Amino acid sequence: MASTLKRVSIVGSGNWGSTIAKIVGTNVLSNPKFDQKVKMYVYEEIVDGRKLTEIINTQHENIKYLPGHKLPENVVAVPDVVEVAHDADIIIFVLPHQFMANTCKPLMGKLKSDAFGVSLCKGFYIADDGKIDLISNMVRNLLKIECLVVMGANIAGEVAAGQFCEATIGSRNREQGLLLKEVLQTDFFRIVVRHDVEVVEACGALKNIVALGAGFCDGLNYGDNTKAAVIRLGLMEVMKFCDIFYKSSEHRTFFESCGVADLVTTCYGGRNRRVAEAFARALGEKTIDELEKELLNGQKVQGPEAAREVNIMLKAHNYENDFPLLTSIYKICVREIPVTQLIDNLRNHPEHL
Amino acid sequence: MASTLKRVSIVGSGNWGSTIAKIVGTNVLSNPKFDQKVKMYVYEEIVDGRKLTEIINTQHENIKYLPGHKLPENVVAVPDVVEVAHDADIIIFVLPHQFMANTCKPLMGKLKSDAFGVSLCKGFYIADDGKIDLISNMVRNLLKIECLVVMGANIAGEVAAGQFCEATIGSRNREQGLLLKEVLQTDFFRIVVRHDVEVVEACGALKNIVALGAGFCDGLNYGDNTKAAVIRLGLMEVMKFCDIFYKSSEHRTFFESCGVADLVTTCYGGRNRRVAEAFARALGEKTIDELEKELLNGQKVQGPEAAREVNIMLKAHNYENDFPLLTSIYKICVREIPVTQLIDNLRNHPEHL
């Protein structure tokens, strides 16, 4: 009978991964559809003289990346990603997107044929041929399994603390989406399932670019109206981008947590906004790289890289003029135009014609 | 030939009205479709020992409500509303919504039959039969003319200063909407015309209720995720409200400046948010009325009254349970439930089923 129980595994154990492990580990205990053991892939490292996997498996706490939160004892840290994923039915990938390809490669050909993946990674992926693609497509292509996504306005620390919030599952297959909802939803982590997985995922990557625009407004001391206009024009360009590149047919998904909610939170808080504000205040005297080092203590902002990747796509299809905000933000980041030109480039936005 | 020129008049001269007068007065000068004289109705009062109309007509500045900004000399202040409106083709109403009915009544039967009105008033109107209606419907019913609306993320001072922003025109008649766009659009005040006038207008009234919810989150020290969820659920309920009461058929309008942009600006800045935050921090020891007096120096918050009006509509149609956020905000305002119950009332929101 054990084989009919669905096994959920988690690949990644940073602060978002550990938060998800806490939720998943708790949920499977009370749901008879699922195997109670949840394996979590932990990139092995030594913390205070002990292996991190050992610490997690004895103290039931990821003391390095999510200190102060107990993990359920049925969450088992494992340092071998194949061991974690090979017998799983649902494999949740939650790690920085730049590590995804190398983490997936050892899993090629090793997974159950009816397993499905779930990506919580925000960002694009540059394929070997130089093409920009979504992380979920990389998983599909490399591992030959379907891949769902989960995006939303979810700061890990707040979710771990049980603060009420929402997230969006993107799943082409309704049944898989609803099964994943059972794995993730709690009374404080509320989930909506949408079918257009590419839109859900693209929102998560594109919002960081718009947040740079919002930060530029703050750094230039523009008022609330101007910032609201920049955020809204950003949303319009995100929607148009999805219409063109991902053939999104309906706009409802942009109203979900992955859309407006995550966008707005990122544009009012968040690292990208902060670095962009400092960049505008420096008026060309500092690069984004310099400010990142100065302000973020080793953390990275993803907006400038996403802006570059999106610009490659827009340029390749001769769409730069149709996306004046995304194009201007890219050009400001690489100092091709001064930040003070941002608004002038929006005065004849296609939205207002 | 003069009679073929369109005459634009403005009813109202507060800080938003004066800002609009500045824009309209400038635009008609360079557009051969329009009569260059713009009459502006000014409620006569004595300022520094002189009539306000005289001050405006000699100094070309509304020193009381928009000090520091010159009005174009073709804007003429007139203390008689009938004189202002009787020969106008476009009558722009821009005054606090509670003054609309009494300002319109003298105009009944006095207007050109093919004139149209434009309402910039945010809020509902309680008809004599106790029914809640939109201001534009009151104009239609009282004055027997079509009524357009203009809404958006538009703080008057920022618009008067020429800061870049957007607004939404709602107009059933496309030709009238585009004509109004010519009257209002400048290189910093960018306009989109939408056909579903009731939705455009309802957004402007309902956002203040959602902003109370956002303020409660701030006052209860909830994080960014929770606030984002409350704002998003607010947007969902605004959309559902428009679907039910105004038969809105498409959701595109909610992405306009009148929708997400105005909502978000109001939920992060704005008076309603501020008073609601203070209300939550006082944990039931002070009423909204008391805090309004304490914090706003005579200004009013419109959210609590709008929440009450909306609740009358929801209750009358047995919809309270379908709108848990709007209903809870109303009940918190009248202290029927404690503010700390807000989130518990959202845990089974219809959006998450």
Side-chain angles (χ1 to χ4, degrees), chain A residues 106-126:
Chain A
L107 301 177
M108 289 167 70
K110 304 272 176 59
L111 304 181
K112 289 173 75 168
S113 61
D114 58 351
F116 67 85
V118 183
S119 169
L120 276 65
C121 312
K122 292 176 177 179
F124 294 100
Y125 147 81
I126 305 187

Side-chain angles (χ1 to χ4, degrees), chain A residues 168-184:
Chain A
T168 313
I169 288 174
S171 177
R172 292 174 185 168
N173 177 311
R174 179 93 188 142
E175 211 174 301
Q176 289 175 343
L178 292 175
L179 188 67
L180 181 62
K181 182 171 174 167
E182 289 189 57
V183 173
L184 293 176

Side-chain angles (χ1 to χ4, degrees), chain A residues 130-320:
Chain A
K131 278 185 72 176
I132 314 293
D133 207 346
L134 296 168
I135 299 283
S136 66
N137 283 331
M138 188 196 72
V139 171
R140 286 184 196 101
N141 295 336
L142 277 183
L143 302 180
K144 313 298 177 203
I145 56 174
E146 182 46 36
C147 188
L148 285 62
V149 302
V150 181
M151 302 281 150
N154 304 135
I155 297 163
E158 296 182 11
V159 179
Q163 290 202 19
F164 183 81
C165 67
E166 301 186 290
T168 313
I169 288 174
S171 177
R172 292 174 185 168
N173 177 311
R174 179 93 188 142
E175 211 174 301
Q176 289 175 343
L178 292 175
L179 188 67
L180 181 62
K181 182 171 174 167
E182 289 189 57
V183 173
L184 293 176
Q185 180 158 279
T186 72
D187 68 345
F188 63 88
F189 191 54
R190 310 300 296 167
I191 310 263
V192 174
V193 181
R194 298 289 303 163
H195 64 89
D196 38 359
V197 55
E198 291 183 311
V199 170
V200 173
E201 188 173 3
C203 283
L206 295 166
K207 61 162 194 182
N208 289 324
I209 311 177
V210 181
L212 294 172
F216 294 151
C217 290
D218 290 339
L220 294 165
N221 295 317
Y222 295 153
D224 290 338
N225 292 352
T226 303
K227 184 169 170 178
V230 166
I231 294 172
R232 192 194 81 82
L233 290 171
L235 179 60
M236 292 298 99
E237 293 193 14
V238 168
M239 289 168 63
K240 192 197 282 188
F241 187 90
C242 290
D243 283 346
I244 292 173
F245 292 101
Y246 305 120
K247 313 273 179 290
S248 72
S249 56
E250 50 166 342
H251 287 156
R252 171 79 202 197
T253 301
F254 297 98
F255 289 119
E256 296 298 339
S257 184
C258 65
V260 283
D262 198 13
L263 177 70
V264 162
T265 307
T266 311
C267 287
Y268 281 86
R271 295 199 285 268
N272 287 280
R273 191 214 62 78
R274 190 167 156 223
V275 168
E277 178 181 1
F279 179 85
R281 290 203 193 284
L283 284 170
E285 296 197 357
K286 291 184 179 174
T287 65
I288 299 243
D289 277 352
E290 285 165 355
L291 288 162
E292 200 176 41
K293 288 195 188 82
E294 223 172 82
L295 296 173
L296 296 185
N297 193 27
Q299 285 188 297
K300 303 290 282 179
V301 287
Q302 299 183 318
E305 178 60 15
R308 189 181 74 83
E309 291 160 351
V310 162
N311 189 257
I312 292 172
M313 294 172 75
L314 294 178
K315 203 176 268 168
H317 296 84
N318 208 17
Y319 278 130
E320 274 185 297

Side-chain angles (χ1 to χ4, degrees), chain A residues 318-335:
Chain A
N318 208 17
Y319 278 130
E320 274 185 297
N321 291 338
D322 298 296
F323 293 83
L325 180 65
L326 295 180
T327 301
S328 297
I329 290 171
Y330 163 71
K331 289 183 175 174
I332 290 166
C333 286
V334 298
R335 303 205 283 185

Side-chain angles (χ1 to χ4, degrees), chain B residues 100-245:
Chain B
M100 272 296 283
N102 283 336
T103 307
C104 281
K105 279 175 189 159
L107 301 177
M108 289 167 70
K110 304 273 175 59
L111 304 181
K112 288 173 75 168
S113 62
D114 58 351
F116 66 86
V118 183
S119 170
L120 276 66
C121 312
K122 292 177 176 179
F124 294 100
Y125 147 81
I126 306 188
D128 293 337
D129 61 1
K131 279 184 71 175
I132 314 294
D133 207 347
L134 296 167
I135 298 285
S136 66
N137 283 331
M138 187 195 72
V139 172
R140 286 183 196 102
N141 294 337
L142 276 183
L143 302 180
K144 313 297 176 201
I145 56 173
E146 182 46 36
C147 187
L148 285 60
V149 302
V150 181
M151 303 280 150
N154 304 134
I155 297 163
E158 296 182 12
V159 179
Q163 291 201 20
F164 182 81
C165 67
E166 301 186 289
T168 313
I169 288 174
S171 177
R172 293 174 185 168
N173 177 311
R174 179 93 188 142
E175 210 175 302
Q176 290 175 342
L178 292 174
L179 187 68
L180 181 62
K181 182 171 175 168
E182 289 188 57
V183 173
L184 293 177
Q185 181 158 279
T186 73
D187 68 345
F188 63 88
F189 191 55
R190 309 301 295 166
I191 310 263
V192 174
V193 181
R194 298 288 304 162
H195 64 88
D196 38 359
V197 55
E198 291 184 311
V199 170
V200 174
E201 187 173 4
C203 283
L206 295 166
K207 61 161 195 183
N208 288 324
I209 311 177
V210 181
L212 294 173
F216 294 151
C217 290
D218 290 340
L220 294 166
N221 296 316
Y222 295 153
D224 291 338
N225 293 352
T226 303
K227 184 169 171 178
V230 166
I231 294 171
R232 192 194 81 83
L233 290 172
L235 179 60
M236 293 297 99
E237 294 193 15
V238 168
M239 289 168 64
K240 193 196 281 187
F241 187 90
C242 289
D243 283 345
I244 292 173
F245 292 101

Side-chain angles (χ1 to χ4, degrees), chain A residues 7-18:
Chain A
R7 287 204 186 92
V8 187
S9 287
I10 297 168
V11 175
S13 52
N15 81 327
W16 190 213
S18 302

Side-chain angles (χ1 to χ4, degrees), chain A residues 8-14 16-18 20-21 24 38-43 76 78-86 88 90-96 99-107 111 116-121 139 143 145:
Chain A
V8 187
S9 287
I10 297 168
V11 175
S13 52
W16 190 213
S18 302
I20 289 296
V24 172
V38 175
K39 288 185 277 189
M40 173 170 74
Y41 167 62
V42 175
Y43 180 83
V76 179
V78 176
D80 175 349
V81 70
V82 177
E83 162 63 17
V84 165
H86 79 282
I90 302 176
I91 307 157
I92 301 175
F93 295 95
V94 47
L95 57 174
F99 302 141
M100 272 296 284
N102 283 337
T103 307
C104 282
K105 279 175 190 160
L107 301 177
L111 304 181
F116 67 85
V118 183
S119 169
L120 276 65
C121 312
V139 171
L143 302 180
I145 56 174

